[in-house]
Amino acid sequence: MLIEQIYTGCLAQGAYYIESKGEAAVIDPLREVQPYLQRAKRNGATIKYIFETHFHADFVSGHLDLAKQTGASIIYGPNANPAFEAVIAKDNQQFQLGELTIRVLHTPGHTLESSCFLLIDAQGNYQAVFTGDTLFIGDVGRPDLAQKSSLTMEDLAGYLYDSLHTKLMPLPDDVIVYPAHGAGSACGKNMSKETSDTLGHQKQTNYALKATNKEQFIKEVTDGLLPPPYYFPQNVQLNKEGYESVEKVVSRGLTPLNADTFELVVNEQHALILDTRKPQVFKDDFIPNSINIGIDGDFAPWVGTLITDINQPIVLVVEAGREEEVVTRLSRVGYDHTLGYLQGGIQAWKDAGKEIDQIESISADEFASRFQNGNLQVKDVRKQSEYEAEHMEGAENVPLAYLSEHMAEFSKAEPVYIHCAGGYRSMIAASILKARGYDQVIDVAGGFKAIAQTNIPKTSYICPSTL
């Protein structure tokens, strides 16, 4: 028996490869399917099943491409209604994989079709349960994503409570829990950095499993939920109805464009210029109206939060050699309309004599000096919880996720100083503001971490768990 967790850090997503006696199954595959195909080929195994725990909202699954290339059956739990051929399993239905048995446990709550898959060995022992977005390490799935006119968030939270208490918690304590996500995913609010655990330990430590009754559970799991990223429902639609082959998407995105063609595509296709270089590199030379979302940060989640239409045409400015990585990571969250990249990078743009722009970025020490000399307009673009835990006195909180809704609070006539925690999000915010005509935005390099080392007055620290 082989169980392999294939974890993708940029999405905080766990896919699973299971193998027994030459037969393999993949649970919740990512869109690029070569890693699964290579594992099976290396081991001389045949991929027999593709199990989907639910219709994912935060990434585009690889189920269709993997089924097409292997002939494997796609399996969902009850209530699923895909637009393609799939096996819609019944609750407790079992599937044989070599000497292993995989049992479907229907666990509605996160979504109505959400299901977990219980792995049983040849001796009938329960070995592991693959919980999708039903049960995380330290958390449970958010119950607000599948609301309909007849179902409220509280209704779904009640279903989730019943699913946990009737299907998962009665399992033996030594069963290993393998969830679909870990810390950093927007599918939960309190997920651990650990990516697996025993069910017994989760019963002892997971706040949601320790709730003494359904009413307390509903209150706790619905409290403090932030609005989901805009791309979530669009990804659900892709996962239910189908999508273009990832090979075609990547091939189109890897079209090299010289400076003149790049400019033409921007103007004629109304393409957004996405610059994925490091913030402190971007600031010195960039194409006017570019948006900076660095590939080395939480790239895909911020793309999905800030570019609200997954059908938006996009052209790229990237570090040389990272073109395919950027296009692939965009495709993982459904942004399939990348039309190419600037060949030769920003230097080619400058060599062609075209206009460039800059954003002023100053050190925390310089910022402290200016702060002492006069009243400054300071915007803290961290999350509200980060701001409430500790912030510099006089800074106003405008979380990056809600920047567009608060543009009117920024001055175009006076300098606006922007910081986040470390400098990644503040440059995203500065680039968006600059593209909207706010020419006096000033980034504070190093963010609050650096500011906290200066003599600028700060509020008393409050532990986020207390909040």
Side-chain angles (χ1 to χ4, degrees):
M1 176 176 65
L2 170 66
I3 303 174
E4 184 176 357
Q5 182 184 66
I6 306 169
Y7 200 77
T8 304
C10 66
L11 290 175
Q13 190 269 344
Y16 297 90
Y17 177 89
I18 307 166
E19 186 183 305
S20 174
K21 295 295 183 179
E23 294 184 338
V26 181
I27 299 177
D28 293 339
L30 274 187
R31 193 168 182 181
E32 59 271 26
V33 300
Q34 285 305 313
Y36 318 114
L37 297 172
Q38 290 167 1
R39 280 168 173 78
K41 182 178 180 180
R42 182 175 64 237
N43 297 348
T46 299
I47 296 178
K48 184 178 181 180
Y49 300 122
I50 302 160
F51 290 96
E52 289 284 345
T53 55
H54 63 295
F55 293 117
H56 304 283
D58 61 308
F59 71 97
V60 179
S61 176
H63 55 301
L64 292 177
D65 282 348
L66 189 56
K68 182 177 180 180
Q69 295 190 47
T70 64
S73 299
I74 302 171
I75 299 170
Y76 287 93
N79 295 334
N81 56 344
F84 45 83
E85 184 177 350
V87 175
I88 308 304
K90 297 178 181 178
D91 190 25
N92 290 315
Q93 184 172 343
Q94 298 189 153
F95 297 84
Q96 288 302 126
L97 187 76
E99 294 184 335
L100 304 176
T101 301
I102 297 177
R103 181 182 297 169
V104 177
L105 304 178
H106 186 213
T107 51
H110 175 65
T111 67
L112 291 177
E113 80 283 353
S114 285
S115 296
C116 301
F117 302 112
L118 178 64
L119 184 67
I120 307 170
D121 67 19
Q123 289 73 43
N125 299 311
Y126 296 167
Q127 293 289 332
V129 61
F130 302 88
T131 56
D133 286 20
T134 296
L135 174 62
F136 299 123
I137 308 306
D139 202 357
V140 293
R142 55 191 297 168
D144 61 323
L145 300 184
Q147 298 177 76
K148 298 181 179 179
S149 57
S150 59
L151 283 177
T152 66
M153 173 172 63
E154 288 74 19
D155 291 332
L156 288 162
Y159 293 163
L160 182 58
Y161 177 88
D162 292 338
S163 294
L164 292 165
H165 283 261
T166 61
K167 298 296 180 66
L168 295 183
M169 292 182 71
L171 296 175
D173 285 352
D174 61 353
V175 168
I176 304 299
V177 175
Y178 287 114
H181 295 289
S185 169
C187 293
K189 61 180 181 180
N190 192 49
M191 284 182 271
S192 168
K193 293 181 180 179
E194 301 299 322
T195 60
S196 65
D197 194 8
T198 64
L199 180 59
H201 190 247
Q202 281 304 292
K203 291 176 185 177
Q204 297 172 7
T205 60
N206 189 316
Y207 80 96
L209 300 189
K210 293 194 296 180
T212 56
N213 55 58
K214 183 183 289 191
E215 290 71 25
Q216 180 188 356
F217 176 89
I218 292 172
K219 182 179 185 300
E220 291 191 2
V221 301
T222 58
D223 183 52
L225 287 173
L226 296 174
Y230 290 105
Y231 75 100
F232 270 28
Q234 299 173 80
N235 273 6
V236 170
Q237 184 176 3
L238 288 173
N239 284 320
K240 289 178 70 172
E241 299 181 1
Y243 45 77
E244 190 174 14
S245 165
V246 71
E247 285 81 6
K248 291 183 180 179
V249 172
V250 173
S251 177
R252 181 171 56 241
L254 292 180
T255 302
L257 306 172
N258 63 34
D260 289 334
T261 306
F262 187 94
E263 188 173 43
L264 190 66
V265 170
V266 170
N267 292 331
E268 291 191 352
Q269 301 294 326
H270 304 289
L272 181 147
I273 306 170
L274 180 60
D275 192 319
T276 66
R277 295 174 297 157
K278 293 178 175 61
Q280 290 299 310
V281 174
F282 168 83
K283 69 177 177 65
D284 293 326
D285 296 298
F286 61 87
I287 300 171
N289 299 320
S290 298
I291 303 302
N292 175 238
I293 305 179
I295 192 64
D296 290 325
D298 290 333
F299 177 69
W302 281 119
V303 167
T305 298
L306 298 170
I307 304 176
T308 58
D309 181 8
I310 63 173
N311 296 313
Q312 168 67 51
I314 294 171
V315 288
L316 301 170
V317 179
V318 303
E319 291 180 47
R322 303 190 73 175
E323 297 86 1
E324 184 171 358
E325 177 188 359
V326 173
V327 176
T328 298
R329 287 175 64 175
L330 285 169
S331 73
R332 286 176 182 167
V333 288
Y335 289 80
D336 289 357
H337 298 275
T338 304
L339 304 180
Y341 67 93
L342 179 60
Q343 188 174 28
I346 199 68
Q347 188 59 50
W349 185 263
K350 293 193 290 185
D351 290 345
K354 297 186 181 296
E355 184 182 358
I356 60 171
D357 205 346
Q358 295 87 27
I359 288 173
E360 184 180 0
S361 181
I362 62 174
S363 69
D365 288 337
E366 173 61 23
F367 175 61
S369 176
R370 298 186 189 186
F371 182 83
Q372 298 296 332
N373 291 332
N375 294 325
L376 303 182
Q377 184 181 174
V378 182
K379 305 291 186 181
D380 181 337
V381 297
R382 296 177 298 164
K383 292 185 293 185
Q384 183 180 352
S385 59
E386 295 174 273
Y387 176 83
E388 290 178 347
E390 187 179 22
H391 60 269
M392 63 165 284
E393 292 184 2
E396 296 180 25
N397 184 218
V398 182
L400 176 58
Y402 308 110
L403 180 64
S404 293
E405 302 168 19
H406 295 275
M407 287 282 184
E409 299 172 17
F410 290 78
S411 171
K412 287 188 175 181
E414 300 176 0
V416 180
Y417 294 82
I418 303 173
H419 79 81
C420 60
Y424 180 80
R425 287 172 286 177
S426 60
M427 191 59 72
I428 297 175
S431 68
I432 293 172
L433 288 163
K434 198 73 187 286
R436 301 280 185 88
Y438 292 82
D439 292 327
Q440 296 197 62
V441 291
I442 301 171
D443 170 70
V444 182
F448 185 74
K449 183 178 180 181
I451 292 171
Q453 304 303 311
T454 71
N455 58 3
I456 293 177
K458 306 182 297 295
T459 60
S460 299
Y461 177 75
I462 302 174
C463 179
S465 61
T466 303
L467 292 170

